[in-house]
Amino acid sequence: MIEIIDLHKSFNGQKVLNGVNLKIEDKDVIIIMGTSGCGKSVLIKHIIGLLTPDKGSILINGVDITTLDTKELDKIRERLGVLFQGGALFDSLTVYGNVAFPLREKTKLSKMEIRDRVIQALEDVGLKEMGKKFPAELSGGMKKRVAFARTLISEPAIVLFDEPTTGLDPVITSSIHELIKATHEKYGYTGVIISHEVPRIFEICNKVAMLHGGIIVESGTPEEIMNSMNPIISQFISGSHEGPIEY
Amino acid sequence: MGLLRAMGSWAIAQLQTIGQMFIFLANALYFIFIPPFKFRLLLRQIRFFGNKSMLVILLTGSFTGMVLALQLFYILRKFGSEALLGPGIALSLIRELGPVLAALMVTGRAGSALTAEVGMMRITEQIDALTAMALNPMRYLIVPNIVAALIAFPLLVSIFDLIGIFGGYLVGVKVLGISSGTYFSLMEDYVEMEDIMIGLYKSLSFGLIVSWICCYKGFYTGYGAEGVSKSTTQAVVLCSILILIFDYFLGSVLFL
């Protein structure tokens, strides 16, 4: 379980997170939505331990990760998987090398075992024949899928998705959504997804939270959020110019 | 009062940057000795620094030796000491010009590319990805570059010196008419082990400076393409200045 308690973060005096409180149960898939620049990626970076909060705590299975040293934090990170916005594939490695990388570095599996798992992972994301290509030779959607395979190959208990479908066409977006759904069913991870694809992405999650003004203004099931009377949520989902959200 | 405050803030910011740079270096040096060692990455970076800089080193080394022969011959002829051309070229190259010019050329060729590469890895979240996988970016990214530079720089400087001496030979012996025996035999008499060691110490120091500064500037680059471009320029300028400053101080210390 992930529990975020009263999380605050400022950059150069500008408050980005202003007391975020959120509870994510095991095996939940939660969408965190919010306007661009509202601090969604900052929130995810806190969960990975890439940023340290000014105040507040983040409990992962009861352990406050904001108080851990690098070594202890790495033990928590070993159970996390992160799909970064741009994929964050290593340019110098092939697709195969990228997907195999976590296994080569973090496990003692034999070359054959790694090969079998990488081939299976690439097959899961529909890129079995792409192993020898370099990231620069792939399209945006392919990069995301390779990054997806790399994230899931170590079978993490928690997967964080930072805008997994940004910049992709509707067909590829659907295929990524399907992929998240299928892999969640297969591996049973806890998923935290940052996305703007609302309400489309609601079909793959069981919880939604809206981040606005540095706090979670509302959270609930997709149905509850869709029927919410909160004007911020209504405006965000409808995409209207008029409302409390200022641009 | 306002000016004083601005100067104070600037001074504090500079001190913080310098402190951060030394913490970065200390961290990198610490992880050099902590296993697991990344030999494949090290070999790749030795190739990056060494093999890929070879053409630049060969060209600059040979022409430095050639121009040195022309200029030294002109000066030595005034004193009737043309025979000292060989040792003059060799000592200038081994003690001074080889380490400095090779380091400046490698900074321009490999150092700038290194800052840009590490900087791109930062802005495309590849460094964050390493951290998120519980892998230390220092070990994977910085240590192989620093060790590779410490290995490649002395080798590149040696090649620069050798090719420079050969360039001097071509001009001195084949063009200006000094005998080949004089050129090399006096070189053997005048060049001592101490001179070679000075060149070695300098090349090791410059290797550390270039890899440290270029990695640091890439690692803490700013946002977007502009941030990377700015970091790359800063890295090249800072390395070049530090190479020349350290050359003087190392020269003074080692000379005394």
Side-chain angles (χ1 to χ4, degrees):
Chain A
M1 188 175 76
I2 305 170
E3 200 174 351
I4 300 164
I5 304 163
D6 195 28
L7 201 71
H8 290 253
K9 183 72 180 177
S10 301
F11 293 100
N12 301 321
Q14 193 189 342
K15 283 198 167 187
V16 178
L17 303 180
N18 198 16
V20 173
N21 287 290
L22 187 65
K23 204 182 243 185
I24 304 162
E25 299 292 339
D26 277 345
K27 303 195 177 183
D28 269 0
V29 175
I30 184 170
I31 306 294
I32 298 175
M33 59 183 193
T35 53
S36 297
C38 75
K40 302 183 297 294
S41 295
V42 171
L43 181 60
I44 267 203
K45 284 185 176 172
H46 277 93
I47 301 175
I48 315 160
L50 291 173
L51 291 173
T52 317
D54 299 336
K55 192 183 154 196
S57 43
I58 297 167
L59 307 181
I60 295 182
N61 294 332
V63 180
D64 185 358
I65 64 159
T66 61
T67 59
L68 301 180
D69 62 24
T70 313
K71 229 175 184 177
E72 294 166 326
L73 197 54
D74 278 348
K75 277 186 187 156
I76 302 276
R77 283 175 180 149
E78 280 171 7
R79 298 174 53 237
L80 289 180
V82 186
L83 181 69
F84 286 91
Q85 208 168 337
L89 297 175
F90 301 122
D91 300 322
S92 55
L93 298 179
T94 59
V95 165
Y96 182 94
N98 264 287
V99 180
F101 189 79
L103 297 181
R104 281 179 181 157
E105 298 300 330
K106 302 299 293 184
T107 69
K108 285 178 180 165
L109 293 175
S110 69
K111 266 188 175 180
M112 288 304 284
E113 286 169 310
I114 290 176
R115 202 195 68 155
D116 292 343
R117 280 180 64 172
V118 173
I119 289 171
Q120 182 59 50
L122 287 175
E123 206 173 309
D124 285 347
V125 297
L127 292 172
K128 197 184 169 189
E129 309 299 321
M130 295 288 173
K132 286 181 180 165
K133 297 236 182 231
F134 281 90
E137 298 171 276
L138 304 178
S139 68
M142 283 174 173
K143 278 183 194 168
K144 283 271 166 76
R145 282 191 279 165
V146 174
F148 203 96
R150 186 180 71 181
T151 305
L152 292 181
I153 198 150
S154 42
E155 298 181 8
I158 299 167
V159 184
L160 310 169
F161 300 86
D162 190 358
E163 300 192 23
T165 52
T166 299
L168 302 178
D169 68 54
V171 178
I172 295 175
T173 298
S174 289
S175 75
I176 298 275
H177 289 176
E178 280 307 311
L179 211 53
I180 295 174
K181 203 173 169 182
T183 51
H184 179 252
E185 278 165 15
K186 187 173 172 183
Y187 298 107
Y189 53 73
T190 305
V192 181
I193 306 173
I194 284 176
S195 180
H196 296 292
E197 301 289 334
V198 291
R200 212 167 142 202
I201 199 164
F202 287 179
E203 65 195 46
I204 63 163
C205 69
N206 59 353
K207 199 173 172 186
V208 181
M210 172 85 190
L211 182 65
H212 185 72
I215 56 165
I216 299 290
V217 291
E218 194 167 332
S219 64
T221 63
E223 292 76 27
E224 284 166 352
I225 292 293
M226 284 299 287
N227 300 321
S228 170
M229 299 302 282
N230 187 323
I232 296 171
I233 291 174
S234 314
Q235 185 192 354
F236 188 77
I237 291 175
S238 67
S240 165
H241 289 295
E242 291 177 8
I245 301 174
E246 289 175 9
Y247 288 92
Chain B
M1 197 64 184
L3 181 70
L4 206 62
R5 187 175 292 159
M7 282 170 66
S9 321
W10 181 84
I12 289 170
Q14 296 309 308
L15 277 175
Q16 279 176 338
T17 307
I18 292 169
Q20 193 184 38
M21 282 173 72
F22 277 98
I23 291 169
F24 181 85
L25 178 65
N27 235 323
L29 294 178
Y30 169 75
F31 280 109
I32 287 178
F33 303 101
I34 307 293
F37 304 111
K38 300 288 156 196
F39 289 111
R40 277 179 75 158
L41 289 173
L42 176 63
L43 286 175
R44 199 187 124 211
Q45 291 316 107
I46 290 175
R47 184 170 173 267
F48 169 75
F49 271 110
N51 197 14
K52 290 186 174 177
S53 303
M54 198 64 90
L55 185 63
V56 178
I57 291 297
L58 290 175
L59 276 171
T60 49
S62 56
F63 279 94
T64 304
M66 285 157 79
V67 81
L68 208 53
L70 280 178
Q71 295 303 327
L72 268 181
F73 184 79
Y74 174 76
I75 296 164
L76 291 170
R77 196 171 54 183
K78 291 194 174 190
F79 305 102
S81 313
E82 296 96 323
L84 290 173
L85 185 70
I89 290 173
L91 285 171
S92 307
L93 282 170
I94 291 169
R95 290 179 64 104
E96 196 63 53
L97 291 174
V100 172
L101 290 179
L104 290 175
M105 295 316 295
V106 178
T107 301
R109 214 252 3 127
S112 56
L114 178 60
T115 306
E117 190 183 339
V118 176
M120 282 305 290
M121 288 186 76
R122 165 65 72 197
I123 64 169
T124 55
E125 297 179 308
Q126 293 176 49
I127 295 178
D128 287 345
L130 278 173
T131 312
M133 288 177 203
L135 299 169
N136 189 330
M138 275 289 163
R139 179 172 284 147
Y140 282 82
L141 213 56
I142 310 304
V143 167
N145 277 302
I146 289 182
V147 178
L150 289 174
I151 294 169
F153 266 64
L155 294 172
L156 288 171
V157 169
S158 311
I159 293 166
F160 188 99
D161 293 347
L162 279 176
I163 202 78
I165 289 167
F166 180 69
Y169 166 85
L170 282 182
V171 172
V173 176
K174 302 289 175 190
V175 179
L176 301 170
I178 290 177
S179 89
S180 153
T182 312
Y183 185 84
F184 285 114
S185 66
L186 283 180
M187 203 183 286
E188 271 183 54
D189 293 343
Y190 283 96
V191 178
E192 292 169 8
M193 195 59 195
E194 191 195 333
D195 302 312
I196 295 169
M197 292 312 286
I198 287 174
L200 177 71
Y201 294 143
K202 282 187 176 180
S203 59
L204 283 170
S205 310
F206 298 158
L208 182 65
I209 288 171
V210 172
S211 53
W212 165 36
I213 300 293
C214 292
C215 284
Y216 170 82
K217 286 286 177 188
F219 203 81
Y220 292 104
T221 192
Y223 297 105
E226 197 189 339
V228 176
S229 139
K230 211 170 152 186
S231 298
T232 307
T233 310
Q234 284 173 351
V236 172
V237 171
L238 188 58
C239 282
S240 307
I241 292 170
L242 285 178
I243 286 166
L244 294 171
I245 292 174
F246 267 78
D247 183 48
Y248 172 75
F249 285 111
L250 279 172
S252 311
V253 171
L254 297 170
F255 186 72
L256 298 169

